Amino acid sequence: MKKFLICALALIALAGCETEPIYEWDEKSRINEYVTWIDNHICSQMVDQLDFVFQASAYRDSLLLGSGTDVVIKRQFSNRHFKPVTFNQLGEIASYQCVMDEVEIVHNGISLDQDGAVWKAYGRMDRFWLDVYQQPKTEYCQFTVSRSNGRYTLSGGMIHNGLFQEYFTMSNFNNLHFTTSIAEVMVCSDLDNNIYETKQTLRYCFNGEVMAVGAGHIDADKQPRPDVYLTLEGLTGHNGKEYIEGIPVFGGIPYFNEGCIRATLLNGQSDTYWSIVIDYTEGGFNYQKLSK
Protein backbone atom coordinates (compact mmCIF):
# COMPACT_ATOMS: atom_id res chain seq x y z
CA MET A 1 0.00 0.00 0.00
CA LYS A 2 2.83 2.34 0.91
CA LYS A 3 4.61 1.56 -2.35
CA PHE A 4 1.42 2.26 -4.32
CA LEU A 5 0.98 5.60 -2.57
CA ILE A 6 4.56 6.65 -3.37
CA CYS A 7 4.04 5.80 -7.06
CA ALA A 8 0.78 7.70 -7.18
CA LEU A 9 2.40 10.80 -5.65
CA ALA A 10 5.24 10.54 -8.15
CA LEU A 11 2.80 10.46 -11.05
CA ILE A 12 0.98 13.51 -9.69
CA ALA A 13 4.29 15.36 -9.35
CA LEU A 14 5.24 14.50 -12.91
CA ALA A 15 1.86 15.68 -14.17
CA GLY A 16 2.34 18.97 -12.36
CA CYS A 17 5.69 19.47 -14.07
CA GLU A 18 4.33 19.12 -17.59
CA THR A 19 5.20 22.10 -19.71
CA GLU A 20 2.51 24.17 -21.33
CA PRO A 21 2.10 23.16 -25.00
CA ILE A 22 3.60 25.47 -27.59
CA TYR A 23 1.36 26.02 -30.59
CA GLU A 24 2.68 26.35 -34.10
CA TRP A 25 0.94 29.15 -36.01
CA ASP A 26 1.23 29.44 -39.75
CA GLU A 27 1.32 32.91 -41.25
CA LYS A 28 -2.38 32.92 -42.19
CA SER A 29 -3.48 31.99 -38.66
CA ARG A 30 -1.23 34.61 -37.11
CA ILE A 31 -2.41 37.41 -39.40
CA ASN A 32 -6.04 36.40 -38.80
CA GLU A 33 -5.46 36.64 -35.04
CA TYR A 34 -3.89 40.09 -35.40
CA VAL A 35 -6.69 41.39 -37.63
CA THR A 36 -9.24 40.27 -35.04
CA TRP A 37 -7.15 41.98 -32.33
CA ILE A 38 -7.11 45.24 -34.33
CA ASP A 39 -10.83 45.16 -35.03
CA ASN A 40 -12.09 44.00 -31.64
CA HIS A 41 -9.64 45.13 -28.98
CA ILE A 42 -8.31 48.35 -30.48
CA CYS A 43 -10.86 50.01 -32.75
CA SER A 44 -14.10 48.68 -31.22
CA GLN A 45 -12.96 49.45 -27.68
CA MET A 46 -11.98 52.94 -28.82
CA VAL A 47 -15.68 53.39 -29.66
CA ASP A 48 -16.74 51.97 -26.29
CA GLN A 49 -14.53 54.39 -24.37
CA LEU A 50 -15.63 57.38 -26.43
CA ASP A 51 -19.28 56.49 -25.77
CA PHE A 52 -18.74 56.94 -22.03
CA VAL A 53 -17.17 60.39 -22.46
CA PHE A 54 -19.92 61.59 -24.77
CA GLN A 55 -22.62 60.28 -22.43
CA ALA A 56 -20.94 62.04 -19.49
CA SER A 57 -21.27 65.23 -21.55
CA ALA A 58 -24.90 64.38 -22.32
CA TYR A 59 -25.52 63.96 -18.58
CA ARG A 60 -24.12 67.44 -17.96
CA ASP A 61 -26.32 68.88 -20.73
CA SER A 62 -29.40 67.25 -19.20
CA LEU A 63 -28.43 68.53 -15.76
CA LEU A 64 -28.14 72.11 -17.02
CA LEU A 65 -31.53 71.82 -18.73
CA GLY A 66 -33.09 70.48 -15.54
CA SER A 67 -34.36 67.19 -16.91
CA GLY A 68 -33.54 63.72 -18.18
CA THR A 69 -30.43 62.83 -16.18
CA ASP A 70 -31.93 59.47 -15.18
CA VAL A 71 -32.33 58.64 -18.87
CA VAL A 72 -28.59 59.07 -19.45
CA ILE A 73 -27.71 56.96 -16.41
CA LYS A 74 -30.00 54.19 -17.61
CA ARG A 75 -28.65 54.43 -21.15
CA GLN A 76 -24.94 54.28 -20.36
CA PHE A 77 -24.10 53.84 -16.68
CA SER A 78 -26.55 51.19 -15.42
CA ASN A 79 -24.37 48.08 -15.62
CA ARG A 80 -24.71 46.71 -12.09
CA HIS A 81 -21.36 44.91 -12.37
CA PHE A 82 -19.59 48.29 -12.53
CA LYS A 83 -19.05 50.71 -9.70
CA PRO A 84 -21.67 53.49 -9.54
CA VAL A 85 -20.66 56.82 -11.07
CA THR A 86 -19.42 59.58 -8.79
CA PHE A 87 -20.35 63.25 -9.10
CA ASN A 88 -18.53 66.52 -8.51
CA GLN A 89 -19.78 69.48 -6.48
CA LEU A 90 -21.78 70.71 -9.48
CA GLY A 91 -23.63 67.41 -9.80
CA GLU A 92 -21.79 66.42 -12.99
CA ILE A 93 -20.31 62.98 -13.59
CA ALA A 94 -16.77 63.01 -12.24
CA SER A 95 -15.76 59.35 -12.58
CA TYR A 96 -17.09 56.03 -13.84
CA GLN A 97 -15.99 52.49 -14.55
CA CYS A 98 -15.78 51.05 -18.07
CA VAL A 99 -13.29 48.92 -20.00
CA MET A 100 -10.67 50.37 -17.68
CA ASP A 101 -11.13 50.07 -13.92
CA GLU A 102 -11.87 53.75 -13.43
CA VAL A 103 -11.91 56.96 -15.46
CA GLU A 104 -11.96 60.52 -14.15
CA ILE A 105 -13.38 63.33 -16.31
CA VAL A 106 -12.16 66.94 -16.49
CA HIS A 107 -13.57 69.44 -18.99
CA ASN A 108 -13.45 73.13 -19.85
CA GLY A 109 -17.15 73.80 -19.27
CA ILE A 110 -18.27 73.40 -22.89
CA SER A 111 -20.53 70.58 -24.06
CA LEU A 112 -19.06 68.11 -26.55
CA ASP A 113 -21.93 69.11 -28.83
CA GLN A 114 -20.31 72.54 -29.22
CA ASP A 115 -17.13 73.86 -30.82
CA GLY A 116 -14.42 74.73 -28.31
CA ALA A 117 -15.09 71.72 -26.07
CA VAL A 118 -12.08 69.99 -24.48
CA TRP A 119 -12.81 66.89 -22.39
CA LYS A 120 -9.99 64.92 -20.76
CA ALA A 121 -10.32 61.35 -19.49
CA TYR A 122 -7.76 60.04 -16.99
CA GLY A 123 -7.89 56.24 -16.88
CA ARG A 124 -6.28 53.57 -14.78
CA MET A 125 -6.51 49.79 -14.80
CA ASP A 126 -5.23 47.21 -12.33
CA ARG A 127 -3.84 43.95 -13.62
CA PHE A 128 -5.63 40.72 -12.83
CA TRP A 129 -2.41 38.74 -13.28
CA LEU A 130 0.50 40.18 -11.30
CA ASP A 131 3.26 37.59 -11.73
CA VAL A 132 3.81 37.90 -15.47
CA TYR A 133 7.05 39.38 -16.79
CA GLN A 134 7.35 41.87 -13.95
CA GLN A 135 4.55 44.02 -15.34
CA PRO A 136 3.44 46.99 -13.22
CA LYS A 137 0.38 46.38 -11.08
CA THR A 138 -1.41 49.44 -12.45
CA GLU A 139 -1.34 51.11 -15.87
CA TYR A 140 -2.43 54.69 -16.53
CA CYS A 141 -3.53 56.56 -19.62
CA GLN A 142 -5.00 59.91 -20.61
CA PHE A 143 -6.91 60.87 -23.74
CA THR A 144 -8.54 64.10 -24.84
CA VAL A 145 -11.59 64.72 -27.02
CA SER A 146 -11.81 68.23 -28.44
CA ARG A 147 -14.10 69.81 -31.03
CA SER A 148 -13.46 72.54 -33.61
CA ASN A 149 -15.52 73.43 -36.71
CA GLY A 150 -17.84 70.48 -36.13
CA ARG A 151 -14.99 67.94 -36.16
CA TYR A 152 -13.49 66.10 -33.20
CA THR A 153 -9.84 65.36 -32.48
CA LEU A 154 -8.78 62.41 -30.34
CA SER A 155 -5.34 62.70 -28.78
CA GLY A 156 -3.38 60.89 -26.07
CA GLY A 157 -3.84 57.15 -25.59
CA MET A 158 -6.06 54.39 -24.20
CA ILE A 159 -5.76 51.08 -22.39
CA HIS A 160 -7.55 48.19 -24.13
CA ASN A 161 -8.41 44.86 -22.57
CA GLY A 162 -10.81 42.00 -23.18
CA LEU A 163 -12.52 40.09 -20.40
CA PHE A 164 -9.89 39.99 -17.62
CA GLN A 165 -7.05 39.26 -20.02
CA GLU A 166 -3.52 38.76 -18.86
CA TYR A 167 -2.03 41.48 -21.04
CA PHE A 168 -3.13 44.97 -22.03
CA THR A 169 -2.92 46.79 -25.32
CA MET A 170 -1.75 50.40 -25.14
CA SER A 171 -2.70 52.73 -28.00
CA ASN A 172 -1.62 56.24 -28.94
CA PHE A 173 -3.39 58.58 -31.35
CA ASN A 174 -1.71 60.73 -33.97
CA ASN A 175 -3.71 63.30 -35.93
CA LEU A 176 -6.87 61.23 -35.40
CA HIS A 177 -10.11 63.03 -36.27
CA PHE A 178 -13.72 61.94 -36.36
CA THR A 179 -17.27 63.12 -36.87
CA THR A 180 -20.43 61.74 -35.28
CA SER A 181 -24.05 61.05 -36.20
CA ILE A 182 -26.93 59.35 -34.38
CA ALA A 183 -27.55 55.59 -34.52
CA GLU A 184 -30.33 53.63 -32.83
CA VAL A 185 -30.15 50.17 -31.28
CA MET A 186 -32.65 48.06 -29.36
CA VAL A 187 -31.97 47.22 -25.71
CA CYS A 188 -33.80 45.08 -23.18
CA SER A 189 -34.66 47.29 -20.20
CA ASP A 190 -36.74 44.69 -18.32
CA LEU A 191 -35.87 41.05 -18.92
CA ASP A 192 -38.65 39.62 -16.73
CA ASN A 193 -41.36 41.45 -18.67
CA ASN A 194 -39.58 41.25 -22.05
CA ILE A 195 -39.57 45.03 -22.49
CA TYR A 196 -37.32 46.41 -25.24
CA GLU A 197 -36.58 50.07 -25.87
CA THR A 198 -34.77 52.10 -28.50
CA LYS A 199 -31.42 53.47 -27.38
CA GLN A 200 -29.72 56.34 -29.16
CA THR A 201 -25.99 56.05 -29.49
CA LEU A 202 -23.25 57.70 -31.53
CA ARG A 203 -21.98 56.56 -34.90
CA TYR A 204 -18.35 57.55 -35.52
CA CYS A 205 -16.37 58.14 -38.70
CA PHE A 206 -12.59 58.06 -38.07
CA ASN A 207 -9.69 59.32 -40.14
CA GLY A 208 -6.13 59.37 -38.87
CA GLU A 209 -3.45 57.27 -37.24
CA VAL A 210 -3.18 54.96 -34.26
CA MET A 211 -0.14 53.16 -32.89
CA ALA A 212 -0.88 50.17 -30.64
CA VAL A 213 1.48 48.06 -28.56
CA GLY A 214 0.57 44.70 -27.08
CA ALA A 215 2.35 45.54 -23.85
CA GLY A 216 4.17 42.38 -22.75
CA HIS A 217 1.76 40.25 -24.74
CA ILE A 218 2.99 36.79 -25.65
CA ASP A 219 0.96 34.80 -28.16
CA ALA A 220 0.01 31.14 -27.87
CA ASP A 221 3.24 30.06 -29.57
CA LYS A 222 5.39 32.22 -27.26
CA GLN A 223 6.06 34.92 -29.82
CA PRO A 224 5.78 38.59 -28.76
CA ARG A 225 2.77 40.45 -30.10
CA PRO A 226 3.88 43.06 -32.67
CA ASP A 227 3.63 46.82 -32.60
CA VAL A 228 0.83 47.90 -34.93
CA TYR A 229 0.63 51.12 -36.93
CA LEU A 230 -2.88 51.84 -38.19
CA THR A 231 -4.23 54.38 -40.65
CA LEU A 232 -8.02 54.70 -40.43
CA GLU A 233 -9.68 55.86 -43.64
CA GLY A 234 -13.38 56.64 -43.27
CA LEU A 235 -13.73 53.86 -40.68
CA THR A 236 -17.39 54.17 -39.72
CA GLY A 237 -19.48 52.38 -37.14
CA HIS A 238 -21.04 52.27 -33.69
CA ASN A 239 -21.51 49.97 -30.72
CA GLY A 240 -24.21 47.61 -31.95
CA LYS A 241 -24.08 45.16 -29.03
CA GLU A 242 -27.31 44.05 -27.43
CA TYR A 243 -27.76 45.20 -23.82
CA ILE A 244 -29.91 43.45 -21.22
CA GLU A 245 -30.65 45.68 -18.24
CA GLY A 246 -27.44 47.62 -18.86
CA ILE A 247 -25.21 44.55 -19.30
CA PRO A 248 -23.66 44.04 -22.76
CA VAL A 249 -23.97 40.78 -24.66
CA PHE A 250 -20.63 40.20 -26.40
CA GLY A 251 -20.34 38.86 -29.92
CA GLY A 252 -22.82 39.23 -32.73
CA ILE A 253 -23.17 42.47 -34.69
CA PRO A 254 -19.85 43.96 -35.89
CA TYR A 255 -19.12 47.58 -35.02
CA PHE A 256 -17.90 48.84 -38.41
CA ASN A 257 -19.51 48.58 -41.85
CA GLU A 258 -17.70 51.20 -43.92
CA GLY A 259 -14.15 52.38 -44.58
CA CYS A 260 -10.82 50.63 -44.21
CA ILE A 261 -7.80 50.20 -41.99
CA ARG A 262 -4.28 50.10 -43.38
CA ALA A 263 -2.10 48.24 -40.90
CA THR A 264 1.63 47.74 -40.63
CA LEU A 265 2.65 45.05 -38.14
CA LEU A 266 6.23 44.72 -36.93
CA ASN A 267 6.83 41.02 -36.42
CA GLY A 268 9.26 41.19 -33.53
CA GLN A 269 12.15 42.11 -35.82
CA SER A 270 12.88 45.59 -37.10
CA ASP A 271 13.22 44.42 -40.71
CA THR A 272 10.23 42.05 -40.76
CA TYR A 273 6.67 43.29 -41.10
CA TRP A 274 3.34 42.71 -42.75
CA SER A 275 1.21 45.29 -44.51
CA ILE A 276 -2.50 44.50 -44.33
CA VAL A 277 -5.60 46.29 -45.61
CA ILE A 278 -8.87 45.60 -43.79
CA ASP A 279 -11.97 46.62 -45.79
CA TYR A 280 -15.35 47.00 -44.07
CA THR A 281 -18.76 46.51 -45.66
CA GLU A 282 -22.29 45.92 -44.36
CA GLY A 283 -21.49 42.22 -44.02
CA GLY A 284 -18.39 42.68 -41.85
CA PHE A 285 -14.80 42.87 -43.05
CA ASN A 286 -12.30 41.15 -45.28
CA TYR A 287 -8.57 41.68 -45.45
CA GLN A 288 -5.58 41.07 -47.67
CA LYS A 289 -1.85 41.03 -47.07
CA LEU A 290 0.09 43.35 -49.38
CA SER A 291 3.44 42.46 -50.88
CA LYS A 292 6.44 44.00 -49.19
Side-chain angles (χ1 to χ4, degrees):
M1 182 68 179
K2 183 177 179 182
K3 184 176 181 181
F4 172 79
L5 181 61
I6 292 172
C7 290
L9 291 174
L11 288 173
I12 293 172
L14 287 172
C17 294
E18 286 183 2
T19 58
E20 185 179 340
I22 297 178
Y23 299 92
E24 293 293 337
W25 279 8
D26 56 26
E27 182 179 85
K28 182 179 179 181
S29 298
R30 189 179 300 280
I31 292 177
N32 184 70
E33 166 66 19
Y34 293 160
V35 167
T36 302
W37 173 47
I38 291 167
D39 173 73
N40 187 30
H41 282 181
I42 301 173
C43 294
S44 294
Q45 287 190 12
M46 180 172 64
V47 167
D48 289 338
Q49 296 190 40
L50 285 173
D51 278 350
F52 279 97
V53 177
F54 274 91
Q55 292 297 336
S57 176
Y59 184 94
R60 179 178 183 273
D61 295 342
S62 298
L63 186 69
L64 294 176
L65 292 173
S67 63
T69 55
D70 57 331
V71 174
V72 180
I73 292 293
K74 184 177 181 182
R75 185 169 61 210
Q76 188 67 32
F77 301 98
S78 60
N79 188 336
R80 61 179 178 271
H81 297 305
F82 285 169
K83 301 173 185 175
V85 297
T86 65
F87 304 92
N88 62 22
Q89 64 273 20
L90 299 177
E92 304 168 0
I93 291 176
S95 70
Y96 55 85
Q97 187 180 2
C98 65
V99 177
M100 293 174 283
D101 277 354
E102 190 170 353
V103 178
E104 296 182 0
I105 290 288
V106 177
H107 60 78
N108 65 343
I110 300 176
S111 167
L112 278 172
D113 284 344
Q114 301 173 14
D115 284 350
V118 179
W119 284 61
K120 295 181 182 292
Y122 297 87
R124 52 166 283 274
M125 190 168 190
D126 294 330
R127 292 189 183 276
F128 305 101
W129 311 88
L130 300 181
D131 58 346
V132 181
Y133 299 100
Q134 307 299 314
Q135 296 178 89
K137 179 180 183 296
T138 304
E139 296 281 5
Y140 298 90
C141 71
Q142 181 263 312
F143 63 91
T144 301
V145 182
S146 57
R147 172 170 162 155
S148 178
N149 297 320
R151 185 176 71 161
Y152 296 97
T153 299
L154 180 58
S155 56
M158 290 178 179
I159 302 170
H160 308 274
N161 188 255
L163 292 175
F164 307 108
Q165 290 192 332
E166 189 173 5
Y167 298 96
F168 298 163
T169 298
M170 311 292 290
S171 65
N172 287 282
F173 311 116
N174 179 33
N175 199 33
L176 183 60
H177 304 287
F178 64 92
T179 56
T180 62
S181 57
I182 298 296
E184 291 187 343
V185 295
M186 296 299 294
V187 298
C188 178
S189 57
D190 186 337
L191 182 60
D192 291 337
N193 296 302
N194 198 33
I195 296 175
Y196 282 78
E197 300 176 0
T198 299
K199 168 186 171 181
Q200 283 195 339
T201 190
L202 287 180
R203 181 172 172 82
Y204 303 88
C205 180
F206 297 101
N207 287 279
E209 298 175 351
V210 181
M211 186 190 82
V213 178
H217 199 301
I218 305 297
D219 285 321
D221 60 350
K222 305 303 181 184
Q223 296 299 313
R225 182 144 295 199
D227 295 347
V228 180
Y229 297 85
L230 309 176
T231 299
L232 313 184
E233 298 179 356
L235 182 65
T236 304
H238 66 281
N239 176 2
K241 289 197 297 289
E242 181 181 359
Y243 282 75
I244 299 177
E245 296 180 350
I247 301 172
V249 179
F250 291 90
I253 300 174
Y255 275 41
F256 305 105
N257 56 20
E258 186 178 342
C260 78
I261 299 174
R262 299 186 183 277
T264 299
L265 299 88
L266 298 183
N267 190 27
Q269 303 174 32
S270 60
D271 59 346
T272 304
Y273 64 90
W274 293 307
S275 292
I276 302 170
V277 176
I278 311 171
D279 289 303
Y280 288 85
T281 64
E282 288 290 341
F285 66 80
N286 57 75
Y287 63 89
Q288 59 176 325
K289 186 187 78 167
L290 303 181
S291 299
K292 295 181 183 178

